[in-house]
Amino acid sequence: MAKDNYIIPIFVPHLGCPHDCVFCNQREITGVRTRLSQDEVIHKIDSYLATIPKTAKKIEVAFYGGSFTGVDPKYQIELLSVAKERLVQGRINGIRLSTRPDYINNQILLRLKEYGVSAIELGVQSLRDEVLKASTRGHSRSDVIKAVNLIRKYDFELGLQIMPGLPASNLESDLATAKEIINLNPDFVRIYPTLVIKGTELAELYKAKKYTPLTLEDAVEISSLLLEYFKEAGIKVIRIGLQPSEGVNNEQVVAGPFHSSFRQLVESRLLLKKIEEKIKVDKINRLVLIVNSKDMSNIRGQKNSNINHLYDKYNLEEIDIKVNDNLARGSLTINIE
Ligand code: SF4
């Protein structure tokens, strides 16, 4: 079945960025070593558009790479004008980009408005200054707050990215960051547990045993807590974990919680927690779980891990999973017998 929403991603690697965040090697992640010319961007967008079905409801051009508004303004305008032309022609419906919190000011936001940008994502990563410092981010918590307020003033859609598991972080600081993010009330968030990518400072720290990444189990657990917080606050989580489609693969990841179905692991964990909270009684024989059909594999867990765990831990005789598509995704009804 064709999708409704399409993103045309244009990676703008490390350009204009004088920083060296410990976890970042843009060139390794995006596979792009030189900057795209305006003609290449035209070609990329138009070839992508040619593949999108006419039934698509929303098509957006996204300038990713983490520091778009720090790039030479002339180059920003070259790229933005290609997207704006297609926006005016009605061939796309929106333009979005990602950037750093300290690369936001009135002048920048006025330019983005002029060129039709509708959504801005900020790489916040953490709201603990000691974590930002240990990750050599080069910006502070207060830069994030200032940027968020300005972006809101100009009425852009706002996305915030966070990275659990950075140097000097722990469960407490990651949860505190999530709570502050909720207070900032973004339209959406992305959760990217920290990975150790080849060629980064973090890879050096890891080799020298000065940094220990999250295990896959820890990353799933923390991400499931964050997902729960954001869901309860009504904030969309549009991505959890870097994916092979974002240019990251096993060869580039030196260490850390990389899994091609990371989001599924997290959603599955969240469902398991809901079930376990409910069955806080000692004697249960039969468990009936009712879910949306799209949650069938999440409730079972990878390789049936949730079901096996429940059988083992609670000595159950039977677990019956039923479908009810009137239930929202991620919710479930639990009957205990
Ligand atoms: S600011 Fe962004 S592009 Fe620059 S080093 Fe950090 S993560 Fe990479």
Side-chain angles (χ1 to χ4, degrees):
M1 203 169 58
K3 294 190 298 178
D4 287 339
N5 301 332
Y6 290 81
I7 297 269
I8 303 176
I10 309 288
F11 284 100
V12 185
H14 210 91
L15 297 167
C17 180
H19 301 285
D20 239 332
C21 305
V22 280
F23 53 80
C24 174
N25 185 336
Q26 286 281 313
R27 277 153 272 153
E28 294 281 339
I29 289 184
T30 63
V32 180
R33 285 159 201 276
T34 52
R35 74 185 203 177
L36 292 170
S37 68
Q38 191 185 45
D39 283 346
E40 283 169 320
V41 172
I42 292 174
H43 178 71
K44 209 168 171 185
I45 295 178
D46 289 348
S47 340
Y48 214 109
L49 278 171
T51 66
I52 296 179
K54 297 270 173 288
T55 51
K57 294 204 172 108
K58 191 172 184 190
I59 305 171
E60 289 173 290
V61 166
F63 294 105
Y64 290 139
S67 55
F68 185 86
T69 55
V71 174
D72 169 14
K74 251 175 73 189
Y75 184 56
Q76 284 180 51
I77 289 171
E78 273 179 34
L79 302 194
L80 287 170
S81 53
V82 174
K84 186 180 177 186
E85 198 183 334
R86 279 138 191 86
L87 186 69
V88 172
Q89 291 164 346
R91 296 168 67 198
I92 63 169
N93 313 97
I95 304 170
R96 54 202 298 132
L97 55 85
S98 65
T99 195
R100 290 172 52 92
D102 52 344
Y103 287 167
I104 290 292
N105 59 35
N106 285 298
Q107 197 191 358
I108 286 170
L109 293 176
L110 283 169
R111 182 190 310 133
L112 300 185
K113 271 278 162 209
E114 186 187 338
Y115 283 90
V117 172
S118 42
I120 300 174
E121 281 188 47
L122 291 181
V124 170
Q125 323 313 14
S126 172
L127 282 167
R128 285 288 166 272
D129 278 334
E130 66 277 14
V131 176
L132 293 170
K133 196 164 170 219
S135 306
T136 54
R137 272 294 282 169
H139 71 76
S140 64
R141 175 186 169 280
S142 71
D143 290 322
V144 176
I145 311 294
K146 271 189 236 150
V148 165
N149 290 335
L150 261 189
I151 289 170
R152 283 295 188 211
K153 189 174 133 197
Y154 284 89
D155 206 22
F156 287 93
E157 195 185 345
L158 171 70
L160 301 177
Q161 303 177 358
I162 55 170
M163 294 182 64
L166 283 171
S169 72
N170 54 33
L171 177 62
E172 213 186 355
S173 64
D174 288 337
L175 295 182
T177 288
K179 285 183 182 162
E180 275 204 71
I181 294 267
I182 289 170
N183 290 336
L184 295 174
N185 195 26
D187 298 291
F188 61 91
V189 296
R190 293 179 191 252
I191 303 169
Y192 288 126
T194 307
L195 299 177
V196 182
I197 307 281
K198 240 189 218 168
T200 61
E201 178 63 24
L202 206 53
E204 295 303 315
L205 293 172
Y206 172 71
K207 250 192 272 164
K209 299 195 182 333
K210 291 181 178 159
Y211 169 74
T212 309
L214 293 174
T215 61
L216 183 61
E217 169 55 31
D218 287 345
V220 169
E221 184 57 28
I222 293 177
S223 303
S224 71
L225 290 169
L226 301 184
L227 178 61
E228 196 175 11
Y229 281 9
F230 292 129
K231 274 188 167 182
E232 277 172 9
I235 296 169
K236 274 185 286 178
V237 179
I238 64 166
R239 182 57 58 92
I240 312 177
L242 271 172
Q243 292 190 334
S245 61
E246 288 165 294
V248 159
N249 58 41
N250 274 319
E251 271 170 39
Q252 290 153 330
V253 179
V254 177
F258 181 55
H259 191 289
S260 55
S261 310
F262 190 78
R263 183 171 191 133
Q264 195 202 350
L265 297 181
V266 173
E267 291 194 331
S268 180
R269 172 66 55 88
L270 202 52
L271 285 171
L272 179 63
K273 281 189 193 168
K274 284 186 186 168
I275 298 168
E276 293 201 278
E277 270 162 29
K278 176 93 177 179
I279 46 179
K280 279 183 186 146
V281 285
D282 289 331
K283 260 286 177 221
I284 309 158
N285 293 321
R286 187 164 180 270
L287 192 58
V288 182
L289 306 171
I290 309 166
V291 287
N292 186 296
S293 55
K294 294 200 172 119
D295 277 328
M296 275 305 254
S297 55
N298 284 346
I299 194 132
R300 291 192 169 279
Q302 287 231 320
K303 299 187 182 144
N304 239 11
S305 57
N306 281 358
I307 301 301
N308 293 338
H309 171 87
L310 289 167
Y311 270 122
D312 289 350
K313 186 162 176 187
Y314 299 99
N315 244 334
L316 297 169
E317 282 172 15
E318 189 185 0
I319 301 175
D320 194 4
I321 304 178
K322 295 183 176 168
V323 165
N324 177 352
D325 282 341
N326 291 325
L327 284 174
R329 282 205 68 182
S331 65
L332 82 164
T333 304
I334 305 164
N335 294 333
I336 295 165
E337 293 175 9

